[in-house]
């Protein structure tokens, strides 16, 4: 499984990134990446430092805008070729300083979005992440899930940083393949089932040891079905 990171701790950006729809992308003070083109338009910076091994990937970055009405984001399953505005496609998360957060699907550079609310504050760093696993897309803000939806418009691709307006700062990029069919809700369900199994085993052992000390028939134990509780349904985004 492929895995990549970039902390931008160097003098120049290098060949691992490709600018989409222009922009002025450069390393600042050998510590962070900045996009400083002032014109109000979406611009992308596509990861070109290595291919992924599957179509199921995640990508994240820490980012911030220097003033209100400037935006930043990250998308996955973007095209791996092309440098025009029309080559900004994919699924992800966007934040606009002074406004709010959005789940987004880019189509030829056009943002088709759903408002998520919340607060996006200028000069405040946020860690944002997008995941695409089969037909399920999930986005996160500071490790907290913001939305999850299904879509099959884009079935393969890479990942891309997104900017709108000037002086957008990025740091600590990461991306990797994920196991097909694995999502956080499923992982949580498996963890819960494991906990139930452990509790059932503990009850059985307690009954067994008690029966030895009393030399009597152990009391009936709770069944698995009486221990299991249905998980609360997750909210479905239109």
């Amino acid at each position: 499984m492929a895995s990549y990171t970039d902390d931008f701790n160097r003098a120049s950006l290098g060949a691992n990134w490709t600018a989409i729809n222009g922009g002025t992308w450069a390393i600042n003070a050998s510590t962070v990446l900045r996009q400083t083109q002032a014109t109000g338009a979406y611009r992308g910076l596509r990861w070109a430092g290595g291919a992924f091994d599957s179509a199921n990937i995640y990508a994240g970055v820490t980012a911030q805008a220097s003033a209100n009405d400037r935006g930043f984001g990250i998308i996955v399953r973007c095209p791996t070729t092309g440098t025009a505005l029309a080559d900004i496609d994919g699924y992800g998360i966007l934040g606009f300083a002074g406004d709010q957060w959005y789940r987004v699907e880019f189509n030829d550079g056009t943002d088709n979005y759903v408002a998520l609310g919340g607060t996006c504050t200028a000069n405040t760093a946020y860690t944002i992440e997008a995941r695409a696993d089969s037909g399920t897309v999930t986005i996160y803000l500071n490790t907290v899930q913001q939305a999850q939806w299904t879509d099959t418009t884009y079935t393969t691709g890479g990942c891309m940083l997104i900017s709108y307006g000037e002086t957008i700062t990025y740091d600590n990029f990461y991306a990797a393949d994920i196991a097909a069919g694995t999502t956080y809700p499923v992982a949580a369900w498996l963890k819960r089932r494991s906990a139930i199994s452990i509790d059932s085993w503990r009850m059985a052992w307690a009954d067994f040891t008690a029966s030895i000390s009393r030399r009597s028939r152990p009391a009936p134990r709770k069944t698995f079905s009486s221990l299991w509780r249905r998980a609360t349904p997750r909210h479905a985004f239109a």
Side-chain angles (χ1 to χ4, degrees):
M1 295 175 62
S3 177
Y4 306 104
T5 61
D6 194 341
D7 61 11
F8 306 111
N9 291 347
R10 56 185 181 278
S12 60
L13 186 56
N16 286 343
W17 296 93
T18 301
I20 313 299
N21 195 34
T24 304
W25 302 86
I27 300 294
N28 179 262
S30 297
T31 57
V32 295
L33 167 68
R34 281 186 176 166
Q35 197 295 113
T36 56
Q37 171 58 253
T39 306
Y42 283 117
R43 307 182 190 281
L45 192 69
R46 183 176 62 229
W47 171 253
F52 294 95
D53 294 330
S54 73
N56 302 312
I57 63 173
Y58 67 88
V61 72
T62 300
Q64 62 181 298
S66 62
N68 288 348
D69 302 319
R70 299 169 186 177
F72 55 90
I74 192 164
I75 60 175
V76 291
R77 288 194 177 159
C78 68
T80 55
T81 60
T83 58
L85 175 62
D87 298 308
I88 300 180
D89 294 324
Y91 310 109
I93 179 171
L94 283 174
F96 274 84
D99 185 26
Q100 60 180 308
W101 297 93
Y102 299 86
R103 83 175 215 195
V104 65
E105 176 183 327
F106 277 97
N107 184 5
D108 293 339
T110 299
D111 57 347
N112 303 295
Y113 58 84
V114 174
L116 301 176
T119 301
C120 183
T121 304
N123 296 306
T124 300
Y126 299 93
T127 299
I128 52 177
E129 180 181 305
R131 291 177 171 243
D133 186 359
S134 298
T136 301
V137 183
T138 313
I139 56 173
Y140 300 88
L141 170 63
N142 293 338
T143 73
V144 177
Q145 180 177 310
Q146 302 298 303
Q148 184 177 80
W149 69 100
T150 57
D151 193 284
T152 56
T153 303
Y154 306 115
T155 57
T156 188
C159 59
M160 184 186 301
L161 307 179
I162 299 293
S163 78
Y164 187 95
E166 64 182 315
T167 320
I168 308 299
T169 301
Y170 305 85
D171 201 4
N172 297 323
F173 163 82
Y174 59 90
D177 290 289
I178 57 178
T182 301
T183 62
Y184 281 175
V186 170
W189 180 82
L190 290 173
K191 182 177 180 180
R192 189 170 184 273
R193 285 291 300 272
S194 297
I196 291 173
S197 298
I198 291 172
D199 287 343
S200 298
W201 179 88
R202 286 173 176 168
M203 291 178 65
W205 179 254
D207 283 347
F208 174 73
T209 55
S211 68
I212 293 175
S213 62
R214 296 194 306 266
R215 296 183 179 276
S216 62
R217 184 177 180 179
R221 299 188 298 274
K222 292 184 179 179
T223 63
F224 177 80
S225 59
S226 68
L227 290 171
W228 185 82
R229 296 291 184 271
R230 186 178 299 278
T232 302
R234 289 183 173 272
H235 177 69
F237 288 82

